[in-house]
Amino acid sequence: MQNIIIGKGLLAKACLKSQAKNCLFYCSGVSDSTETKVIEFERERNLLINSISSNNNKCLIYFSSVSAPSGQNPYFQHKLNMENIIKENCPDYIILRLPRVAGPVLNSTLLSVLTKKIYLNEHLTVFDKAVRNLVDVEDIIEVSDYICKISNRNITINICPNRSFKPEELVLLIAGQLKSKLLNYDLVDAGDIESCILGYSPEELIVRNYFSQKENYLENIVAKYVPEIVSLIESYSQSEIK
């Protein structure tokens, strides 16, 4: 049966390439991890509940955050609440907890923000103690397709590439890709660790094995998407001029 995709953003567009069958890809709702407005959280909650009710014959694929269990801000608390709603109301689901997502988009995601600031030589404050993990949006869909094929669903699983990094490392990689000789940033003794841990369940072994075959993962993401993000920046600038 045909898939249904709810949403229009980066993940939703990537889901169009999914080979899974009879799935409901929920790619709508709050995407900004700094969001605090209750009305935005309620909008996603209501849409999610209605989507489950209207499509209870499909496997729901919900994209959460690896930081949801921490509940350290309203956004992550909201994500955990959405996970609980799914577990209580959905007969067939897979919750995929994601780290930072990379793709060809100009928005508030990590790779996009850093690329724009470095390209425009804007000032950056880089947290030295922070640790992050970045995943290619296309890999998310490929991994989810593998997981959808197994019979043991109704699971919550992290999608973790085997490469964590400090933000300064990503900044330097982007600068190298852009051949930027002048980097305008301060290194601050602050930051938190974004934990993205995998165990050894059958589903987690799928994720482990998938990413173990991808060498130089962070470098390849930068080479793949930074030129596309720059093209979007330039296109946006030209439209502003017109």
Side-chain angles (χ1 to χ4, degrees):
M1 295 179 68
Q2 189 173 6
N3 293 332
I4 294 176
I5 301 171
I6 297 178
K8 298 179 180 179
L10 179 66
L11 274 169
K13 291 175 182 176
C15 288
L16 291 170
K17 298 180 181 179
S18 174
Q19 299 302 307
K21 304 297 182 184
N22 198 34
C23 289
L24 170 65
F25 290 94
Y26 191 90
C27 311
S28 185
V30 181
S31 59
D32 186 350
S33 62
T34 64
E35 182 62 77
T36 59
K37 296 186 183 71
V38 174
I39 190 172
E40 295 298 327
F41 299 142
E42 284 297 312
R43 184 179 290 116
E44 179 178 351
R45 179 182 180 278
N46 293 335
L47 179 58
L48 177 62
I49 291 174
N50 290 336
S51 299
I52 292 172
S53 176
S54 303
N55 301 279
N56 58 12
N57 64 328
K58 295 185 180 295
C59 178
L60 171 65
I61 311 295
Y62 182 80
F63 300 102
S64 186
S65 167
V66 295
S67 296
S70 70
Q72 62 184 347
N73 70 15
Y75 172 82
F76 296 127
Q77 293 169 13
H78 163 72
K79 281 296 185 184
L80 198 57
N81 289 338
M82 296 303 97
E83 290 185 10
N84 290 333
I85 287 173
I86 291 167
K87 292 173 184 178
E88 293 169 3
N89 296 279
C90 190
D92 189 9
Y93 68 84
I94 297 173
I95 297 171
L96 303 176
R97 287 176 173 167
L98 308 178
R100 310 296 168 125
V101 179
V105 66
L106 191 59
N107 61 8
S108 61
T109 53
L110 180 63
L111 184 65
S112 179
V113 168
L114 292 180
T115 299
K116 182 179 179 182
K117 285 184 174 291
I118 293 169
Y119 179 73
L120 299 177
N121 195 32
E122 296 178 355
H123 180 263
L124 276 171
T125 298
V126 180
F127 289 174
D128 184 49
K129 290 185 177 178
V131 176
R132 295 292 180 261
N133 196 298
L134 198 64
V135 63
D136 187 329
V137 67
E138 293 182 353
D139 289 335
I140 295 170
I141 306 309
E142 284 195 30
V143 172
S144 70
D145 281 356
Y146 287 129
I147 295 173
C148 280
K149 293 177 182 178
I150 65 179
S151 58
N152 181 28
R153 299 208 285 213
N154 292 8
I155 55 173
T156 302
I157 183 170
N158 289 346
I159 304 299
C160 299
N162 54 5
R163 172 76 179 275
S164 295
F165 58 89
K166 289 191 172 185
E168 187 180 24
E169 182 180 358
L170 180 57
V171 166
L172 295 175
L173 284 172
I174 295 169
Q177 178 70 34
L178 295 175
K179 296 180 173 56
S180 176
K181 295 180 180 179
L182 179 62
L183 265 177
N184 183 13
Y185 76 97
D186 293 327
L187 196 60
V188 178
D189 186 25
D192 63 318
I193 296 174
E194 183 178 71
S195 180
C196 195
I197 299 172
L198 282 173
Y200 292 90
S201 69
E203 300 80 25
E204 290 166 312
L205 286 174
I206 289 174
V207 180
R208 282 182 179 274
N209 292 337
Y210 179 86
F211 286 109
S212 69
Q213 302 173 43
K214 293 181 175 288
E215 298 180 354
N216 303 315
Y217 192 72
L218 186 61
E219 291 83 354
N220 289 337
I221 283 179
V222 169
K224 179 179 180 180
Y225 288 125
V226 165
E228 294 190 55
I229 294 171
V230 168
S231 293
L232 291 171
I233 295 169
E234 293 174 342
S235 297
Y236 180 79
S237 298
Q238 287 299 319
S239 66
E240 285 289 292
I241 293 172
K242 293 177 183 179

